[in-house]
Amino acid sequence: MIEESKTIEEKFGVLDSVPVGACLLRDDFVVLFWNTCLEDWTKIPREQMLGTKITTHFPHLSQLKYANRFQQIFAGGPPTIFSSQIHKHLIPATWQDGQQRIQQTTVTAVPALSLGPAAWEIVGLIRSTVELEPKATVPEAEGFDRAEPSTSQSSAPYGFVASNLQSFYALLVIQDVTDLTHRIQAYRTMRDQALEEVKVRQRVEEELRESQHFIQQIADAAPYLLYIYDFTQQRNVYVNGQASKLLGYTPEEILQMQTALYSGLVYPEDLERVSAHLQKFTSALDGHILELDYRLKHRSDEWRWFRCRDQVFARTASGEPTQIFGTAQDITEYKRAEEALRQQNERELLMATITQHIRQSLDLGEVLSTTVNEVRQFLQADRVMIVRFNPCTGSLCATPATGAVTVESVAPNCRPMLGETLENFCYDEFYLEAYQHRAIRPIADVSAADLRQDQIDLLAEFEVRAYLVVPLVQGEDLWGLLMAHQCSPRQWMQLEVELLSNLAAQLAIAIKQAELYQQLQAANLKLERLATLDELTQLANRRRFDQYLEMEWRRQAREQTPLSLILCDIDSFKSYNDTYGHPGGDECLRQVAGAIGNAVSRPADLVARYGGEEFAVILPNTAIGGAILVAEHIQLKIAALQLPHAGSQVSQYVTVSLGVASIVPGAESPASILIAAADRALYQAKDAGRDRIQVYHADSATAKTNGTAPPVRPVDLYRPNTNFPSPTSA
């Protein structure tokens, strides 16, 4: 036995390198060889198998159906195959997914060894054994095992020489056909499923053809487009006779379009929505209707709106939708009405918005500016402007009509027209008619319009190719024009024309309101001016003097800068009135006021009639030196008048006495201290002989802290001659 085992191991050891299971059994079912592949499959070591009966490990092999066939092999019978279809496996082994391996086992009689064949003869035996199996490893006649007789002419199969012709071993060669079996089963399942789907489709189409005549009669009578769309073929497989009426194509022409139906007839912007609509049917339930509005091209090239209502019509055995049934109703007129209503709502909303913006202000410039900006945004035009006519053109007059571009909203790439004067541009028969009836003139293409050459030249200068003109009428007067320009030909929409027509009426009201407001403001300014103006001299009155002095006193106190005051008094004015009368006195006051006003040049300086024959000059941010120069200049201007004064005690002409004071205001001190200082200086000038300038000097340190003026030494600036220097700003 030991010698036999050693010889078998030596001769059959080469089978450890083959990728199939190999097992050698003695006629008493004792295992003589157990190769490495079987060790790996069964997880049973060779040492545990050799010398033991195989039925000990695999009891099912002792069953009669196996025992009888093995006895034939032990008797030297032909090879036998245990097919995977019947036996699944002879030696149970676990596959990679935990299931039992499916095996194809060939059992061959091998003569008991004496001297034994060479090792390569064993490999040849394995090759010959495997070649006994069919190429696909699956028997052609399922359910039956096959036995192949030996083709050798010797009494020992496969070249083995038996020492005893009645003693044979059984060599089991086991192939793993699990993966191949699974693939074949999957292929058969797919084949059966595909055949079933084909049968279902054929059956449905056959049933459809059988009932087509009845269905066609009902479908053609419906006022809708009826159709069946097939997902697999991606085309319509049925459409009713309404296609001719609704689209201008016969049902046959629709079906011949096949997959090009949607790309050829659906509006390009709607293609994406149609595709998304079809995708929804992958999850749609039976009886669930999906709706979609989209446009289809009529044979006449007109785009018509349709509302489709689709539902699943057929499914595969697994529930996937294969066909949808749908109806499509022509809703073109409904869409047009809906669009008209939308435009009407949009127009009313826009009208309300623009009107609200216009009426938010009573300033005419802001009203016009808001109008052109809002209108250009709505029209998406290159330019919107307002031309205001000169007053003569508001009614019929003989002079040519002229107007100027008052306000404009223009695109960055266009040449502005703001300030341009349009001479005789809009003064023709049409515009006279427009003036009377408030008509609107839309020009889609300047080159095709009947315009005068001067109009064409002006439009070409500003690259205008299309325009829209709306007259702005107030009562019976043509106030101006609202104009929209486009630098390319443009067909103006009725919505745009109607909007501007309505807007023109609202704008005319807003313009009138703004103009009335301007007039009111002007009247208020005039009243305010009259309230602060001396009627005789047209200088600021005492009320205005008090207001301005208080305001400048607070400002100079904040900025800590000097504030100067000059008080002027006409010398011997009572005698002047007695000599020349009150009218002559009034004229003297007017001329003296004019001279003082001419002597003061800065806008911030204020000249006022202080009272009677007295005048005052407020000089903000002016030190004493600058104030003296102004006072000298006043004397110079009055002397230049050479107004005769027979009643004067100092000169044959009218002269004035001036008191000058300058203080840096204190935060808590009143402005009255400046008036008191200037008044005291004026009194000293009169007391010193009149026709002179008297300066009131204040202590700078004290003035800057509390605004008070301590007693000072009076300064007499009397000069008998009139050669005074010109004043400059201090």
Side-chain angles (χ1 to χ4, degrees):
M1 178 63 184
I2 296 175
E3 185 65 26
E4 181 184 29
S5 297
K6 184 182 296 186
T7 303
I8 289 174
E9 180 67 28
E10 180 182 336
K11 301 302 182 181
F12 286 87
V14 70
L15 298 181
D16 283 332
S17 61
V18 296
V20 295
C23 173
L24 189 66
L25 300 180
R26 204 167 54 196
D27 56 5
D28 55 0
F29 287 91
V30 172
V31 178
L32 300 179
F33 181 76
W34 188 262
N35 77 337
T36 304
C37 187
L38 283 178
E39 282 186 302
D40 181 57
W41 286 357
T42 63
K43 309 304 179 186
I44 302 176
R46 181 181 301 177
E47 293 76 10
Q48 187 177 338
M49 290 297 298
L50 295 180
T52 64
K53 288 189 175 184
I54 196 168
T55 54
T56 304
H57 302 277
F58 308 107
H60 67 280
L61 293 179
S62 62
Q63 296 176 11
L64 188 62
K65 64 179 180 179
Y66 296 115
N68 289 339
R69 297 180 67 176
F70 272 98
Q71 290 300 328
Q72 296 176 12
I73 297 299
F74 291 138
T80 185
I81 297 175
F82 293 90
S83 73
S84 62
Q85 299 297 314
I86 297 176
H87 302 281
K88 296 296 183 183
H89 50 261
L90 208 62
I91 304 296
T94 303
W95 202 52
Q96 58 188 10
D97 59 356
Q99 299 179 358
Q100 293 295 318
R101 293 177 182 269
I102 300 175
Q103 302 170 354
Q104 187 95 339
T105 305
T106 303
V107 183
T108 306
V110 178
L113 298 177
S114 54
L115 298 177
W120 64 269
E121 292 174 323
I122 298 299
V123 177
L125 175 63
I126 293 297
R127 185 180 295 111
S128 300
T129 302
V130 172
E131 289 176 354
L132 290 175
E133 303 171 14
K135 292 182 179 179
T137 72
V138 180
E140 294 180 1
E142 298 180 359
F144 296 93
D145 294 346
R146 295 185 303 146
E148 295 290 341
S150 173
T151 56
S152 175
Q153 296 299 321
S154 64
S155 58
Y158 306 103
F160 285 88
V161 179
S163 59
N164 184 349
L165 294 179
Q166 295 180 349
S167 180
F168 288 89
Y169 298 146
L171 177 63
L172 285 70
V173 178
I174 306 169
Q175 284 185 286
D176 187 340
V177 295
T178 309
D179 183 57
L180 179 60
T181 302
H182 288 172
R183 281 187 286 153
I184 292 174
Q185 290 174 348
Y187 166 76
R188 287 174 176 170
T189 301
M190 291 174 60
R191 180 195 63 190
D192 294 344
Q193 183 177 352
L195 290 174
E196 182 62 26
E197 289 180 358
V198 171
K199 290 178 181 179
V200 170
R201 188 181 299 112
Q202 290 175 344
R203 184 171 64 253
V204 170
E205 292 182 354
E206 181 62 28
E207 291 174 356
L208 181 63
R209 282 192 295 270
E210 290 176 356
S211 59
Q212 185 173 8
H213 179 69
F214 175 72
I215 294 175
Q216 193 67 46
Q217 287 181 324
I218 298 176
D220 290 342
Y224 310 113
L225 192 66
L226 304 180
Y227 53 88
I228 296 176
Y229 178 80
D230 190 284
F231 283 105
T232 306
Q233 303 179 41
Q234 295 185 348
R235 67 181 182 90
N236 281 349
V237 296
Y238 170 77
V239 65
N240 69 338
Q242 286 292 324
S244 300
K245 180 179 179 181
L246 299 178
L247 291 174
Y249 297 97
T250 65
E252 292 75 18
E253 289 175 323
I254 294 291
L255 297 180
Q256 287 174 1
M257 293 180 185
Q258 298 188 4
T259 57
L261 172 66
Y262 285 113
S263 60
L265 296 186
V266 175
Y267 192 69
E269 293 181 5
D270 296 340
L271 278 172
E272 186 175 348
R273 294 194 300 115
V274 171
S275 177
H277 173 74
L278 294 176
Q279 291 295 327
K280 294 179 182 178
F281 285 97
T282 57
S283 58
L285 302 176
D286 287 342
H288 186 198
I289 296 176
L290 300 179
E291 292 188 357
L292 178 69
D293 293 353
Y294 61 96
R295 285 159 286 189
L296 291 174
K297 183 187 288 185
H298 191 273
R299 195 178 199 118
S300 63
D301 287 339
E302 176 191 5
W303 291 105
R304 303 193 65 83
W305 277 97
F306 286 86
R307 174 166 294 162
C308 71
R309 292 169 52 88
D310 300 333
Q311 61 180 319
V312 176
F313 182 66
R315 296 181 183 271
T316 63
S318 60
E320 295 294 326
T322 57
Q323 291 180 336
I324 60 173
F325 171 73
T327 65
Q329 180 184 5
D330 189 333
I331 59 170
T332 305
E333 294 305 320
Y334 168 78
K335 282 290 186 180
R336 288 173 180 169
E338 185 182 59
E339 177 64 17
L341 180 61
R342 185 193 65 79
Q343 290 182 358
Q344 176 68 20
N345 292 337
E346 181 180 342
R347 181 170 64 250
E348 291 176 357
L349 177 61
L350 183 62
M351 188 69 200
T353 302
I354 295 179
T355 302
Q356 181 182 5
H357 289 174
I358 290 175
R359 293 188 175 182
Q360 281 178 346
S361 174
L362 290 174
D363 180 79
L364 181 59
E366 187 174 347
V367 168
L368 300 180
S369 178
T370 300
T371 300
V372 295
N373 289 331
E374 294 281 355
V375 172
R376 190 169 84 85
Q377 181 179 359
F378 168 70
L379 296 179
Q380 294 297 300
D382 292 326
R383 178 189 295 107
V384 172
M385 64 184 189
I386 291 178
V387 177
R388 183 171 185 177
F389 285 142
N390 295 328
C392 179
T393 62
S395 59
L396 299 180
C397 61
T399 58
T402 61
V405 180
T406 305
V407 64
E408 173 188 48
S409 176
V410 61
N413 58 336
C414 294
R415 177 184 169 186
M417 291 185 67
L418 186 63
E420 291 287 335
T421 299
L422 308 182
E423 296 185 1
N424 204 25
F425 178 70
C426 304
Y427 195 73
D428 55 24
E429 293 182 1
F430 170 79
Y431 283 103
L432 292 179
E433 187 73 14
Y435 156 65
Q436 296 173 356
H437 300 287
R438 293 175 173 83
I440 297 178
R441 188 179 191 185
I443 300 296
D445 191 345
V446 170
S447 62
D450 185 16
L451 300 176
R452 296 195 315 271
Q453 189 59 44
D454 59 331
Q455 295 176 336
I456 295 175
D457 293 342
L458 178 63
L459 294 171
E461 181 181 352
F462 292 95
E463 300 180 353
V464 179
R465 295 291 306 278
Y467 67 87
L468 185 61
V469 179
V470 184
L472 301 175
V473 180
Q474 289 187 352
E476 296 182 356
D477 294 331
L478 183 60
W479 186 90
L481 299 173
L482 174 62
M483 305 181 70
H485 288 170
Q486 201 72 31
C487 294
S488 59
R490 171 172 177 169
Q491 191 67 42
W492 302 99
M493 298 171 56
Q494 185 63 28
L495 167 67
E496 298 166 341
V497 175
E498 292 177 0
L499 174 73
L500 263 65
S501 177
N502 294 334
L503 180 61
Q506 297 295 324
L507 181 58
I509 296 173
I511 290 172
K512 188 65 176 178
Q513 290 177 338
E515 289 180 338
L516 290 175
Y517 180 70
Q518 284 184 336
Q519 294 173 9
L520 178 61
Q521 279 190 316
N524 290 335
L525 288 174
K526 184 177 180 180
L527 288 174
E528 183 179 354
R529 185 171 176 270
L530 290 174
T532 59
L533 195 68
D534 179 67
E535 185 176 358
L536 176 64
T537 62
Q538 297 299 300
L539 295 177
N541 60 15
R542 178 63 181 270
R543 178 185 179 188
R544 175 60 179 157
F545 168 83
D546 291 338
Q547 292 174 346
Y548 194 72
L549 179 63
E550 186 65 30
M551 180 181 69
E552 287 299 322
W553 181 267
R554 290 195 299 268
R555 188 169 70 86
Q556 305 301 326
R558 289 194 304 270
E559 299 176 1
Q560 282 297 283
T561 52
L563 178 64
S564 297
L565 176 64
I566 303 174
L567 291 180
C568 308
D569 184 79
I570 300 176
D571 296 327
S572 305
F573 187 70
K574 183 178 182 302
S575 298
Y576 192 94
N577 274 336
D578 293 342
T579 304
Y580 300 100
H582 286 287
D586 290 345
E587 180 60 28
C588 176
L589 289 173
R590 280 193 289 269
Q591 293 201 42
V592 170
I596 296 174
N598 291 333
V600 178
S601 58
R602 296 189 313 175
D605 299 337
L606 178 73
V607 180
R609 185 180 180 187
Y610 191 69
E613 70 276 14
E614 285 188 316
F615 299 90
V617 180
I618 299 175
L619 303 171
N621 195 21
T622 304
I624 189 65
I628 293 172
L629 289 176
V630 173
E632 291 174 345
H633 200 48
I634 290 173
Q635 271 195 324
L636 178 64
K637 289 289 185 181
I638 292 175
L641 294 175
Q642 293 189 341
L643 295 175
H645 189 349
S648 174
Q649 299 176 2
V650 295
S651 174
Q652 60 179 335
Y653 300 110
V654 172
T655 60
V656 294
S657 298
L658 301 97
V660 181
S662 181
I663 294 178
V664 176
E668 304 297 332
S669 59
S672 59
I673 65 173
L674 180 61
I675 298 176
D679 187 64
R680 181 166 182 172
L682 175 62
Y683 175 79
Q684 291 173 349
K686 285 180 172 291
D687 191 52
R690 297 184 176 86
D691 189 19
R692 67 192 64 235
I693 300 171
Q694 190 71 31
V695 178
Y696 183 92
H697 283 289
D699 184 3
S700 299
T702 305
K704 287 187 178 181
T705 57
N706 56 28
T708 61
V712 296
R713 177 178 55 84
V715 178
D716 186 356
L717 296 180
Y718 170 73
R719 295 190 178 105
N721 60 60
T722 58
N723 188 20
F724 299 116
S726 299
T728 58
S729 299

